[in-house]
Each structure stands twice: as structure tokens, then as C-alpha cells.
Amino acid sequence: MTSQTPKQILLAIFKWISICVLIGILSGSASAFFLVTLEWVTQFRIQHDWIIWLLPFGGLLVGLSYYYWGESVEKGNNLLLEEYENPKSVIPFKMAPLVLLGTLLTHLFGGSAGREGTAVQMGGAIADQFTKLFNLDNSERKILIILGISAGFASVFGTPLAGAIFALEVLYFSKINFKSIILSFLVAYVAYFTVEFWQIKHTHYSIPVVPEISISTLFYVIIIGILSGFAALLFSRSTHFWGSLFSKNIKYPPLRPFIGGIILAIAIAGFGFTKFSGLGIPVIVDSFSNANPWYDFLLKILFTGVTLGAGFKGGEVTPLFFVGATLGSALSIVIPLPIAFLAGLGFVAVFSGATHTPIACSVMGMELFGIQPGIFIAITCIIAYFSSGSVGIYKSQIVKGAKYKLYQKWL
């Protein structure tokens, strides 16, 4: 093994800083454009709610686009995880425009989906193009995939610390080298400030009252963690169940979102469940001040499972926020703690359980809600992580570490 000269070290540092800046700016700009257009289609749907009846045709467009042009990128986030674990070929750039278009169509016509999947896939596709440009090997390609996930997540949610850690943790933290950690944080902040430069605003949440640490408070926090883990387990199983059901019974892929769209349109528009379409941000915000019905989180799991399982595009994280916040809000009826506090804990804990990323979710909670409830957020995220089962929302995610060992030993 030959040692590098100071000049080679400086050139390598300059190369990776340049890559981070370029990926951060490009991914951040892509996320900014996505957030603006997503807001536009969402407002259009709200003002013209009849458009939900066209959801089957929107689904058909999504299905046809992936069937004829996007078969190689159909796996979405799972493709990023697979290429990280076993690098084979550069992710086609067409992943970015295809997932952008698919997500906008999903939200325009009222499907229940999120947005992080879109930003992460755009970031990953953009980042991986630098493989050929800089003639990088497979180990360096892995760093690019981390950078793409980090930039996409940080820019779409406005949480750079959580974005950087999420990219590392979701890919199995103990296998990540030190250089990847530094670069992940750098690209996350570049992407975050790029979105800020474009003057895109993120939704703000707050926990105005945080209870004192006591035995009773910790007991209730543990209960929230366990229930959030169960909700995460149900969410993950639901999306996988509906995906398998549609794929087994409908052999022509473009028809899956078409038929799924018919089911969703009848349920959402026909029975007045419009609050469960799209991201559901207004419901999430309201859950911090008003108790939700106990069944809201279950219906969001159902509608999101059908939407994504049928083949519509988007993400799972914002629906997970919806599930967690409404679950915590509903529990305020029986748990004597502030409603915003319970909604905030559920918000990040369900996400933690479904993605196997308790560290990133704890950090995200502190970025969103402040440092004061930090200890409660961390406890809830860790408990939800351990109580959510071994299968999360990403089928290709390799679950390692303490949770893996625990399940190997006891299950």
C-alpha cells in the first residue's frame, strides 16, 4: 500500500469537496423545484376536489411511464440500497424525472403518499452520475449514494443533521467509513442552504410545553414508544401486503395503479376521506393542538398502503409523520400529557420504527422541536425501533446492529 503525497491528499480533498458542493446544489435545486410544484398541484387538487375521480387515469400514466421507460429504476429507494450493498451499474439519471413526474401525478389526483422518496431518488440519481465523470471505483460509488440520500433528505425536510445521519444509518452505520460521515454532513448542509437560497419554506411544528422528567412521564413515554413501534410495523406490513397483492393478481403493471386508483377514488371522494389524500400536512399540524379520532392513523396506513402498493409514486416518511402525530394526538384522551408533546413523540417514533433509524429520528426530533424534549424523543425513538419488527418500509435495507442481534437471539 503506497502512501499519498501531500499534493495527492490536497487534490483528493478538493475533489470530494467539489463533488459535495455540486451534488448539494443540484439536489437542493431539484428538491426546491419539487417542493414548489408539489405545493402547486396540492393546492390545485384542494381547490378542484373533483379531480380525485381522475386518479385511475393518473395512475395509468404513472404505470405506463415506468413500464415503457422506467423498468430499470422501478425499485426506487430499494435500488439505491441494493447498489450500495452490491454495486453493479450506475443508476440511470432517468430515475429523477420519472419519480418527479410520478409523484406530482400521484399528489395532483389525490393519492396518499409522501415526498422523501422522490427527493432521495432524485438525489441518488444525480449523485451517481459523478461516478463516470470522476472515474470513481465501487467503494467511492458507495460514498456517492450516501451523499445523494443525505442531500435529498436534508433538502426536502429542512433537517440537515438528520439528513446526514439518516443516509448513514439507513445503509448500516457500522460499515460507513469516517470520510463518508464528514462528506454526508457537508453535502446535507449544502443541499439545505440551496433550498434556503431558493426561499422555499418548510412546515414548522412545535412542542410548547414539555413535562418534567418523572417516573410517570417516563412510563407514558415508553408506552408511546411501544405503540409507535407497533404502528410502524403495521405500516410496513401494509405497504408490502398491498404491493404483493397487486403484483400477484394484476399481471400487466400499468393496470395496477389504474385499478388501485379506482379503489382510492371511490373511497376518498365517494366516502369523504379527502383528509387522507396527499401529504396530509394540515391534519399533522392540527394534531398538535386538537385530539384526532383514534382511527385516523389506521386509515392513513390503509390509504398509503394501497397507493404505494398499487404503484403510485412518492414516499413513506410524511405519511409516517401523519400516522405518528395522529396516534399521539389520539392518545392524549387517555394519557395525561400535553397533546403537542404526545403528537411530537409519535411523529418521529413511528418514522424511527419503520426505517430502523433511531439516531437520525432522534436528531430530527430535536431539530424540529428543540433540545428540551430531546431525552423523551430519544427514548421513544429507541423503543419504537426495537418494537417494530425486523422488516421496515425498505425491503432491501440490511438490518444490522443491536436490533439484528436481539431478533437473532430471541426470535
Side-chain angles (χ1 to χ4, degrees):
M1 181 177 180
T2 58
S3 59
Q4 290 183 311
T5 65
K7 182 179 178 180
Q8 289 173 321
I9 293 173
L10 287 174
L11 286 174
I13 292 173
F14 177 76
K15 178 183 77 172
W16 281 106
I17 290 177
S18 300
I19 290 173
C20 284
V21 171
L22 289 170
I23 292 174
I25 291 173
L26 292 173
S27 297
S29 297
S31 290
F33 175 78
F34 169 52
L35 290 171
V36 169
T37 51
L38 180 60
E39 178 63 18
W40 186 86
V41 299
T42 299
Q43 291 304 318
F44 185 88
R45 185 192 72 243
I46 292 172
Q47 295 165 16
H48 307 83
D49 56 4
W50 55 266
I51 202 172
I52 294 176
W53 290 108
L54 300 180
L55 184 59
F57 301 100
L60 185 61
L61 287 175
V62 174
L64 289 171
S65 66
Y66 272 85
Y67 184 71
Y68 286 105
W69 300 296
E71 186 177 359
S72 61
V73 296
E74 174 69 32
K75 291 182 179 179
N77 287 350
N78 286 306
L79 178 60
L80 298 179
L81 300 179
E82 289 174 9
E83 282 296 326
Y84 178 84
E85 190 67 22
N86 296 297
K88 293 179 181 178
S89 58
V90 174
I91 295 167
F93 179 74
K94 62 183 177 182
M95 171 183 271
L98 279 172
V99 73
L100 173 64
L101 176 62
T103 303
L104 293 177
L105 287 172
T106 297
H107 285 276
L108 173 64
F109 295 107
S112 175
R115 54 191 174 181
E116 108 292 337
T118 307
V120 165
Q121 289 174 50
M122 290 194 299
I126 290 170
D128 211 13
Q129 305 313 304
F130 288 90
T131 298
K132 294 180 180 178
L133 184 62
F134 287 90
N135 194 28
L136 304 179
D137 59 28
N138 280 341
S139 64
E140 293 175 312
R141 259 200 79 208
K142 289 189 172 188
I143 297 177
L144 286 183
I145 293 173
I146 291 172
L147 299 185
I149 295 174
S150 176
F153 192 98
S155 58
V156 81
F157 288 124
T159 53
L161 283 174
I165 297 171
F166 176 82
L168 298 166
E169 195 174 15
V170 77
L171 292 168
Y172 180 22
F173 191 87
S174 63
K175 280 190 175 180
I176 306 300
N177 61 45
F178 184 67
K179 181 168 73 173
S180 301
I181 297 173
I182 296 174
L183 296 176
S184 183
F185 278 91
L186 175 59
V187 76
Y189 274 94
V190 173
Y192 167 76
F193 284 115
T194 297
V195 172
E196 292 288 298
F197 171 81
W198 290 116
Q199 299 183 356
I200 306 300
K201 303 299 181 184
H202 297 283
T203 306
H204 292 284
Y205 309 94
S206 66
I207 299 178
V209 180
V210 178
E212 296 291 330
I213 297 178
S214 65
I215 298 298
S216 61
T217 300
L218 291 174
F219 171 76
Y220 289 126
V221 165
I222 291 171
I223 296 298
I224 292 291
I226 294 171
L227 294 177
S228 295
F230 290 164
L233 173 63
L234 182 60
F235 185 100
S236 300
R237 298 290 183 181
S238 174
T239 56
H240 299 328
F241 167 78
W242 288 106
S244 297
L245 186 68
F246 277 101
S247 62
K248 287 180 180 178
N249 294 283
I250 305 172
K251 299 305 179 184
Y252 185 57
L255 281 181
R256 295 168 192 165
F258 178 77
I259 294 174
I262 294 175
I263 297 170
L264 289 166
I266 293 173
I268 293 173
F271 291 91
F273 288 130
T274 54
K275 66 188 287 187
F276 301 103
S277 62
L279 294 171
I281 296 293
V283 178
I284 298 174
V285 173
D286 184 67
S287 68
F288 280 74
S289 54
N290 297 296
N292 287 84
W294 65 268
Y295 50 80
D296 272 6
F297 82 98
L298 292 172
L299 288 175
K300 187 62 174 178
I301 289 173
L302 175 62
F303 284 117
T304 305
V306 175
T307 299
L308 299 179
F312 286 93
K313 299 302 172 182
E316 299 92 347
V317 173
T318 304
L320 286 169
F321 293 161
F322 185 115
V323 170
T326 54
L327 171 62
S329 177
L331 288 172
S332 67
I333 298 174
V334 294
I335 294 180
L337 292 174
I339 185 171
F341 177 72
L342 294 173
L345 292 185
F347 183 104
V348 289
V350 173
F351 177 29
S352 170
T355 58
H356 308 304
T357 56
I359 301 173
C361 294
S362 298
V363 172
M364 171 178 254
M366 286 178 250
E367 282 190 285
L368 292 173
F369 307 124
I371 197 68
Q372 190 179 359
I375 183 64
F376 299 118
I377 290 171
I379 292 171
T380 313
C381 286
I382 291 170
I383 291 174
Y385 164 72
F386 279 108
S387 60
S388 61
S390 58
V391 178
I393 55 176
Y394 307 128
K395 285 185 175 181
S396 298
Q397 185 181 23
I398 306 298
V399 182
K400 296 291 184 181
K403 183 173 184 175
Y404 174 79
K405 293 177 182 177
L406 178 68
Y407 277 82
Q408 285 287 94
K409 183 177 180 180
W410 296 105
L411 300 180

